[in-house]
Amino acid sequence: MGHAVTTTELFLIAMLIIFSVPYLVWRLFRTEHWAPLVVVQIVGGILLGPGVLGAVFPTYYATVFSPPVIAALNGVAWWAVMIFVFVAGLELDLRQAWAKRGETGVTAGLALAAPLALGSLAALVMLRWPGWAGETGQTWQVVLGIGMACAVTALPILMLFMEKLDILRRPLGQRVLRYASLDDVAIWGVLALILLDWERIGRQVSFLIAFAVLTLAVRAVMRRIPERDRWFVALIWLAGCGFAADWAGLHFMVGAFLSGAVLDSAWFDRERMDRFRDSVLIAFMPVFFLSTGLRTQWDMGGVAVFGAAALLLVASVAGKLAGVHLAGRLLKWRPGEASVIGWLLQTKALIMIIFANILLDKGVITNAAFTALLLMAVGSTMLTIPIVTPRLKRLLATDEAIRGS
């Protein structure tokens, strides 16, 4: 008598695929220079989704990725991405940004406004054809949402890239973090505006008031307890904020980001925080990438989706570079700085995928629009390392020559 495969076994088969396939591709094909592991994992999630694997092997796909397995994977993915966004909020150094608010405000503002404008224009072009706006998405929400997706900078992935380029702790790296941090605050603020639901305005006001009061209490507790205990309290705070924000209709990711942003990173050991973030990225985030891939659809046909993705990629990259170069000219940066900073800040990856996931969850955009945004994020992130590396070498060589003279 044959053994009936259980849901637990199917879940573990799915986990085996999630962790083995992207790693083997990354390692065997030595993609690190043009596609770091995180990019391979995102692409792997797309390939393992219904648009590719599900279309080629529908029976196998339906068996392994059955509804109970997908539900279990989603649970892991939700908690993983909440932790990751919480750490991103915790990494924000708003005090440093405030101390250098003139330069930071000009650069971050232009780096956000230019791609937002071009992305919004791209969205208006897309909306000339049906299939991009979600069932509940009003035109302004779709345009602002897609425009903001083009303006996003993926702060956590940016940090990993700068660590790989050995500039994270250097003055240049800290400058880039200031610009990206300020834009991150704006991104989540705009998302809250897009999701503002007048039918739930009472809940949302209640959440904001309660959040402000409890933030003072949590900060007071954090100052008085040992560093080890702060991690447990932080996770309790994260779960509570995520639940409250979702209950209020603002989405649990907004709560996750806010829960980290109101805490001081100085309360946590830097080295331990880096290890914690890296552990989440290695052990849990691949599940999020897979669950994201499971949502990719080619509802309007591959040509339309790929065409929209290309349009969005041009708007995103051109807008970010134009904004940063304008800032460099106004602030009289050295030659080469604007190019390096602009290409670093156009990195999309995780934060944009999370942002687009929320727009899809709330019915603002369709699966086709989500897929186009996902492809844009992958293309944007894959461009970063190969384009920045030679430019950064020239910039650092110039610095060395100046110091040597």
PDB file of all heavy atoms in Angstrom, residues 6-16 18 64 68-70 72-74 76 287:
ATOM      1  N   THR A   6       1.984  13.573   3.128  1.00  0.00           N
ATOM      2  CA  THR A   6       1.294  14.473   4.050  1.00  0.00           C
ATOM      3  C   THR A   6       1.606  15.938   3.720  1.00  0.00           C
ATOM      4  O   THR A   6       2.550  16.238   2.988  1.00  0.00           O
ATOM      5  CB  THR A   6       1.718  14.198   5.503  1.00  0.00           C
ATOM      6  OG1 THR A   6       3.114  14.521   5.652  1.00  0.00           O
ATOM      7  CG2 THR A   6       1.500  12.732   5.858  1.00  0.00           C
ATOM      8  N   THR A   7       0.807  16.816   4.313  1.00  0.00           N
ATOM      9  CA  THR A   7       1.046  18.258   4.122  1.00  0.00           C
ATOM     10  C   THR A   7       2.406  18.659   4.668  1.00  0.00           C
ATOM     11  O   THR A   7       3.101  19.490   4.077  1.00  0.00           O
ATOM     12  CB  THR A   7      -0.065  19.068   4.813  1.00  0.00           C
ATOM     13  OG1 THR A   7      -1.333  18.727   4.239  1.00  0.00           O
ATOM     14  CG2 THR A   7       0.173  20.567   4.654  1.00  0.00           C
ATOM     15  N   THR A   8       2.789  18.060   5.802  1.00  0.00           N
ATOM     16  CA  THR A   8       4.111  18.362   6.373  1.00  0.00           C
ATOM     17  C   THR A   8       5.219  17.996   5.397  1.00  0.00           C
ATOM     18  O   THR A   8       6.174  18.761   5.194  1.00  0.00           O
ATOM     19  CB  THR A   8       4.309  17.594   7.686  1.00  0.00           C
ATOM     20  OG1 THR A   8       3.280  17.950   8.607  1.00  0.00           O
ATOM     21  CG2 THR A   8       5.675  17.909   8.300  1.00  0.00           C
ATOM     22  N   GLU A   9       5.098  16.830   4.765  1.00  0.00           N
ATOM     23  CA  GLU A   9       6.123  16.389   3.809  1.00  0.00           C
ATOM     24  C   GLU A   9       6.150  17.294   2.579  1.00  0.00           C
ATOM     25  O   GLU A   9       7.228  17.631   2.064  1.00  0.00           O
ATOM     26  CB  GLU A   9       5.864  14.935   3.421  1.00  0.00           C
ATOM     27  CG  GLU A   9       6.127  13.959   4.563  1.00  0.00           C
ATOM     28  CD  GLU A   9       5.574  12.568   4.295  1.00  0.00           C
ATOM     29  OE1 GLU A   9       4.800  12.400   3.334  1.00  0.00           O
ATOM     30  OE2 GLU A   9       5.904  11.655   5.063  1.00  0.00           O
ATOM     31  N   LEU A  10       4.977  17.708   2.114  1.00  0.00           N
ATOM     32  CA  LEU A  10       4.923  18.619   0.968  1.00  0.00           C
ATOM     33  C   LEU A  10       5.543  19.968   1.329  1.00  0.00           C
ATOM     34  O   LEU A  10       6.246  20.580   0.517  1.00  0.00           O
ATOM     35  CB  LEU A  10       3.473  18.812   0.513  1.00  0.00           C
ATOM     36  CG  LEU A  10       2.813  17.616  -0.174  1.00  0.00           C
ATOM     37  CD1 LEU A  10       1.336  17.891  -0.418  1.00  0.00           C
ATOM     38  CD2 LEU A  10       3.516  17.280  -1.491  1.00  0.00           C
ATOM     39  N   PHE A  11       5.285  20.429   2.552  1.00  0.00           N
ATOM     40  CA  PHE A  11       5.876  21.687   3.012  1.00  0.00           C
ATOM     41  C   PHE A  11       7.403  21.586   3.008  1.00  0.00           C
ATOM     42  O   PHE A  11       8.098  22.505   2.548  1.00  0.00           O
ATOM     43  CB  PHE A  11       5.371  22.016   4.421  1.00  0.00           C
ATOM     44  CG  PHE A  11       6.053  23.192   5.056  1.00  0.00           C
ATOM     45  CD1 PHE A  11       5.692  24.485   4.723  1.00  0.00           C
ATOM     46  CD2 PHE A  11       7.063  23.002   5.989  1.00  0.00           C
ATOM     47  CE1 PHE A  11       6.328  25.575   5.309  1.00  0.00           C
ATOM     48  CE2 PHE A  11       7.705  24.079   6.583  1.00  0.00           C
ATOM     49  CZ  PHE A  11       7.329  25.367   6.242  1.00  0.00           C
ATOM     50  N   LEU A  12       7.933  20.466   3.481  1.00  0.00           N
ATOM     51  CA  LEU A  12       9.386  20.298   3.528  1.00  0.00           C
ATOM     52  C   LEU A  12       9.980  20.131   2.133  1.00  0.00           C
ATOM     53  O   LEU A  12      11.107  20.568   1.875  1.00  0.00           O
ATOM     54  CB  LEU A  12       9.741  19.107   4.419  1.00  0.00           C
ATOM     55  CG  LEU A  12       9.418  19.309   5.907  1.00  0.00           C
ATOM     56  CD1 LEU A  12       9.671  18.031   6.703  1.00  0.00           C
ATOM     57  CD2 LEU A  12      10.241  20.462   6.476  1.00  0.00           C
ATOM     58  N   ILE A  13       9.222  19.510   1.213  1.00  0.00           N
ATOM     59  CA  ILE A  13       9.685  19.436  -0.183  1.00  0.00           C
ATOM     60  C   ILE A  13       9.773  20.848  -0.767  1.00  0.00           C
ATOM     61  O   ILE A  13      10.740  21.210  -1.448  1.00  0.00           O
ATOM     62  CB  ILE A  13       8.727  18.564  -1.024  1.00  0.00           C
ATOM     63  CG1 ILE A  13       8.855  17.088  -0.620  1.00  0.00           C
ATOM     64  CG2 ILE A  13       9.028  18.722  -2.526  1.00  0.00           C
ATOM     65  CD1 ILE A  13       7.821  16.189  -1.270  1.00  0.00           C
ATOM     66  N   ALA A  14       8.739  21.661  -0.483  1.00  0.00           N
ATOM     67  CA  ALA A  14       8.753  23.051  -0.961  1.00  0.00           C
ATOM     68  C   ALA A  14       9.941  23.813  -0.372  1.00  0.00           C
ATOM     69  O   ALA A  14      10.629  24.556  -1.082  1.00  0.00           O
ATOM     70  CB  ALA A  14       7.437  23.740  -0.587  1.00  0.00           C
ATOM     71  N   MET A  15      10.214  23.619   0.920  1.00  0.00           N
ATOM     72  CA  MET A  15      11.352  24.287   1.552  1.00  0.00           C
ATOM     73  C   MET A  15      12.672  23.817   0.942  1.00  0.00           C
ATOM     74  O   MET A  15      13.608  24.610   0.751  1.00  0.00           O
ATOM     75  CB  MET A  15      11.353  24.017   3.060  1.00  0.00           C
ATOM     76  CG  MET A  15      10.188  24.639   3.810  1.00  0.00           C
ATOM     77  SD  MET A  15      10.269  26.448   3.875  1.00  0.00           S
ATOM     78  CE  MET A  15      11.395  26.670   5.248  1.00  0.00           C
ATOM     79  N   LEU A  16      12.752  22.531   0.622  1.00  0.00           N
ATOM     80  CA  LEU A  16      13.957  21.989  -0.021  1.00  0.00           C
ATOM     81  C   LEU A  16      14.195  22.675  -1.367  1.00  0.00           C
ATOM     82  O   LEU A  16      15.328  23.070  -1.688  1.00  0.00           O
ATOM     83  CB  LEU A  16      13.797  20.479  -0.209  1.00  0.00           C
ATOM     84  CG  LEU A  16      14.963  19.733  -0.867  1.00  0.00           C
ATOM     85  CD1 LEU A  16      16.204  19.808   0.012  1.00  0.00           C
ATOM     86  CD2 LEU A  16      14.582  18.275  -1.121  1.00  0.00           C
ATOM     87  N   ILE A  18      12.994  25.647  -2.304  1.00  0.00           N
ATOM     88  CA  ILE A  18      13.221  27.076  -2.079  1.00  0.00           C
ATOM     89  C   ILE A  18      14.683  27.363  -1.754  1.00  0.00           C
ATOM     90  O   ILE A  18      15.267  28.334  -2.257  1.00  0.00           O
ATOM     91  CB  ILE A  18      12.314  27.579  -0.937  1.00  0.00           C
ATOM     92  CG1 ILE A  18      10.841  27.578  -1.374  1.00  0.00           C
ATOM     93  CG2 ILE A  18      12.723  28.980  -0.496  1.00  0.00           C
ATOM     94  CD1 ILE A  18       9.874  27.780  -0.231  1.00  0.00           C
ATOM     95  N   VAL A  64       2.677  20.035  -5.108  1.00  0.00           N
ATOM     96  CA  VAL A  64       3.629  20.541  -4.115  1.00  0.00           C
ATOM     97  C   VAL A  64       3.111  21.823  -3.473  1.00  0.00           C
ATOM     98  O   VAL A  64       3.119  21.974  -2.246  1.00  0.00           O
ATOM     99  CB  VAL A  64       5.004  20.787  -4.763  1.00  0.00           C
ATOM    100  CG1 VAL A  64       5.958  21.445  -3.757  1.00  0.00           C
ATOM    101  CG2 VAL A  64       5.602  19.482  -5.254  1.00  0.00           C
ATOM    102  N   PRO A  68      -2.867  24.207   1.488  1.00  0.00           N
ATOM    103  CA  PRO A  68      -2.315  24.157   2.853  1.00  0.00           C
ATOM    104  C   PRO A  68      -0.831  24.500   2.909  1.00  0.00           C
ATOM    105  O   PRO A  68      -0.379  25.151   3.858  1.00  0.00           O
ATOM    106  CB  PRO A  68      -2.564  22.696   3.278  1.00  0.00           C
ATOM    107  CG  PRO A  68      -3.672  22.216   2.414  1.00  0.00           C
ATOM    108  CD  PRO A  68      -3.476  22.910   1.113  1.00  0.00           C
ATOM    109  N   VAL A  69      -0.067  24.062   1.901  1.00  0.00           N
ATOM    110  CA  VAL A  69       1.366  24.369   1.870  1.00  0.00           C
ATOM    111  C   VAL A  69       1.581  25.861   1.662  1.00  0.00           C
ATOM    112  O   VAL A  69       2.422  26.484   2.333  1.00  0.00           O
ATOM    113  CB  VAL A  69       2.078  23.559   0.763  1.00  0.00           C
ATOM    114  CG1 VAL A  69       3.527  24.018   0.599  1.00  0.00           C
ATOM    115  CG2 VAL A  69       2.044  22.072   1.091  1.00  0.00           C
ATOM    116  N   ILE A  70       0.820  26.441   0.741  1.00  0.00           N
ATOM    117  CA  ILE A  70       0.948  27.881   0.495  1.00  0.00           C
ATOM    118  C   ILE A  70       0.587  28.679   1.751  1.00  0.00           C
ATOM    119  O   ILE A  70       1.243  29.668   2.084  1.00  0.00           O
ATOM    120  CB  ILE A  70       0.060  28.303  -0.691  1.00  0.00           C
ATOM    121  CG1 ILE A  70       0.634  27.733  -1.993  1.00  0.00           C
ATOM    122  CG2 ILE A  70      -0.044  29.816  -0.783  1.00  0.00           C
ATOM    123  CD1 ILE A  70      -0.190  28.033  -3.214  1.00  0.00           C
ATOM    124  N   ALA A  72       0.956  27.693   4.854  1.00  0.00           N
ATOM    125  CA  ALA A  72       2.081  27.571   5.788  1.00  0.00           C
ATOM    126  C   ALA A  72       3.254  28.450   5.356  1.00  0.00           C
ATOM    127  O   ALA A  72       3.880  29.129   6.181  1.00  0.00           O
ATOM    128  CB  ALA A  72       2.520  26.107   5.882  1.00  0.00           C
ATOM    129  N   LEU A  73       3.557  28.447   4.061  1.00  0.00           N
ATOM    130  CA  LEU A  73       4.644  29.282   3.547  1.00  0.00           C
ATOM    131  C   LEU A  73       4.351  30.765   3.765  1.00  0.00           C
ATOM    132  O   LEU A  73       5.247  31.544   4.113  1.00  0.00           O
ATOM    133  CB  LEU A  73       4.868  29.006   2.055  1.00  0.00           C
ATOM    134  CG  LEU A  73       5.429  27.627   1.683  1.00  0.00           C
ATOM    135  CD1 LEU A  73       5.419  27.448   0.170  1.00  0.00           C
ATOM    136  CD2 LEU A  73       6.844  27.448   2.229  1.00  0.00           C
ATOM    137  N   ASN A  74       3.089  31.154   3.578  1.00  0.00           N
ATOM    138  CA  ASN A  74       2.724  32.555   3.766  1.00  0.00           C
ATOM    139  C   ASN A  74       2.938  32.994   5.211  1.00  0.00           C
ATOM    140  O   ASN A  74       3.371  34.118   5.468  1.00  0.00           O
ATOM    141  CB  ASN A  74       1.268  32.786   3.357  1.00  0.00           C
ATOM    142  CG  ASN A  74       1.089  32.873   1.854  1.00  0.00           C
ATOM    143  OD1 ASN A  74       2.044  33.126   1.125  1.00  0.00           O
ATOM    144  ND2 ASN A  74      -0.120  32.663   1.386  1.00  0.00           N
ATOM    145  N   VAL A  76       5.184  31.849   7.362  1.00  0.00           N
ATOM    146  CA  VAL A  76       6.623  32.061   7.539  1.00  0.00           C
ATOM    147  C   VAL A  76       7.050  33.360   6.861  1.00  0.00           C
ATOM    148  O   VAL A  76       7.819  34.160   7.410  1.00  0.00           O
ATOM    149  CB  VAL A  76       7.430  30.870   6.973  1.00  0.00           C
ATOM    150  CG1 VAL A  76       8.929  31.135   7.061  1.00  0.00           C
ATOM    151  CG2 VAL A  76       7.084  29.577   7.710  1.00  0.00           C
ATOM    152  N   VAL A 287      11.792  32.258   1.711  1.00  0.00           N
ATOM    153  CA  VAL A 287      10.385  31.831   1.714  1.00  0.00           C
ATOM    154  C   VAL A 287       9.499  32.976   1.244  1.00  0.00           C
ATOM    155  O   VAL A 287       8.530  32.778   0.500  1.00  0.00           O
ATOM    156  CB  VAL A 287       9.964  31.355   3.113  1.00  0.00           C
ATOM    157  CG1 VAL A 287       8.505  30.887   3.106  1.00  0.00           C
ATOM    158  CG2 VAL A 287      10.879  30.231   3.590  1.00  0.00           C
TER     159      VAL A 287
END
